[in-house]
């Protein structure tokens, strides 16, 4: 039986040191620095391919392993099919027994619930900000006066490449300003 560890942080600026310290008893450790919301987690895929029947996959927290309850259940099923137990250190979960499996599923559902509540609150905040007139997205590159000036220069025959240089804009942006202000 091999003890295999998996550690993940969400961004390059974060450190894996705390997780590494907790996973020191592992025979092999897979690490990565990337968001849990992305499918591109090559070290997790390699880790799941590496574990064998009788092995134990150890993580510090459930949210380090999966991006959603569905994803967590898929990983749990993969591990079950391979005969691999999951140990979650901070939540004291060990899926080698019935109580550990129950707790694992409950915490996964609670984690998903928290994620959805957070997303709802974020959307509420965005809606309220929009109602107050807050504008989201990139600010326009040109003022209304500059847009009128750009359109006039084009009507007078100024080349697109010259407009690009004058206003430090891409060809696509120049054409978008021109098409939005035809007439």
């Amino acid at each position: 039986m091999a003890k295999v560890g998996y550690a993940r942080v969400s961004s390059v600026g974060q450190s894996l040191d705390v997780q590494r310290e907790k996973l020191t008893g592992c025979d092999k450790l897979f690490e990565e620095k990337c968001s849990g919301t992305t499918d591109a987690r090559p070290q997790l895929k390699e880790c799941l391919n590496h574990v064998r029947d009788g092995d134990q996959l150890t993580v510090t927290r459930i949210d380090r392993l999966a991006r959603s309850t569905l994803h967590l259940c898929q990983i749990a099923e993969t591990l079950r099919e391979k005969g691999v137990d999951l140990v979650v250190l901070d939540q004291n979960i060990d899926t080698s027994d019935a109580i550990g499996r129950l707790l694992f599923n409950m915490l996964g559902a609670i984690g998903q619930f928290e994620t959805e509540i957070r997303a709802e609150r974020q959307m509420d905040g965005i809606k309220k900000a929009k109602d107050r007139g807050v504008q989201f997205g990139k600010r326009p590159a040109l003022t209304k006066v500059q847009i009128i000036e750009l359109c006039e220069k084009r009507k007078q025959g100024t080349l697109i490449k010259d407009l690009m240089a004058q206003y430090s804009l891409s060809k696509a942006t120049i054409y978008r300003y021109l098409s939005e202000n035809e007439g």
Side-chain angles (χ1 to χ4, degrees):
M1 174 184 106
K3 274 184 87 172
V4 178
Y6 175 73
R8 179 188 62 81
V9 290
S10 298
S11 66
V12 177
Q14 293 177 321
S15 172
L16 287 161
D17 292 344
V18 172
Q19 291 179 63
R20 279 187 196 123
E21 188 176 315
K22 290 180 179 183
L23 297 169
T24 53
C26 294
D27 304 315
K28 182 158 179 68
L29 182 60
F30 292 86
E31 304 176 350
E32 57 195 342
K33 292 184 176 191
C34 66
S35 171
T37 59
T38 180
D39 285 334
R41 294 200 287 162
Q43 288 299 302
L44 176 60
K45 289 176 184 164
E46 191 174 325
C47 177
L48 294 174
N49 286 333
H50 175 82
V51 291
R52 301 285 178 254
D53 187 26
D55 286 354
Q56 180 186 79
L57 175 60
T58 305
V59 294
T60 57
R61 292 191 341 242
I62 287 179
D63 66 344
R64 300 296 87 201
L65 183 62
R67 63 182 182 275
S68 66
T69 302
L70 174 61
H71 188 228
L72 185 63
C73 290
Q74 290 169 340
I75 291 171
E77 181 60 19
T78 299
L79 295 175
R80 189 193 62 73
E81 288 172 358
K82 292 182 104 175
V84 176
D85 291 324
L86 175 66
V87 173
V88 184
L89 299 175
D90 291 356
Q91 282 114 357
N92 202 23
I93 298 172
D94 184 343
T95 62
S96 64
D97 64 34
I99 292 173
R101 286 188 293 276
L102 173 66
L103 189 55
F104 172 76
N105 287 318
M106 287 173 43
L107 286 175
I110 291 167
Q112 179 67 28
F113 174 73
E114 288 175 344
T115 299
E116 289 173 8
I117 292 295
R118 192 171 31 253
E120 286 176 11
R121 286 186 189 135
Q122 182 180 15
M123 293 309 297
D124 287 345
I126 290 170
K127 183 184 179 310
K128 286 178 183 175
K130 284 183 178 179
D131 291 346
R132 288 192 323 266
V134 174
Q135 297 218 340
F136 291 87
K138 188 176 177 182
R139 300 209 185 284
L142 301 179
T143 65
K144 298 267 187 213
V145 172
Q146 288 174 316
I147 294 169
I148 292 168
E149 184 181 284
L150 177 132
C151 292
E152 285 301 315
K153 286 182 179 182
R154 181 63 182 153
K155 284 179 187 173
Q156 294 170 4
T158 305
L159 298 174
I160 296 295
K161 69 176 184 174
D162 294 333
L163 293 172
M164 289 169 56
Q166 282 180 328
Y167 292 98
S168 300
L169 297 173
S170 70
K171 185 188 292 188
T173 302
I174 296 288
Y175 277 114
R176 182 173 42 81
Y177 276 127
L178 292 172
S179 69
E180 287 173 356
N181 295 284
E182 287 178 342

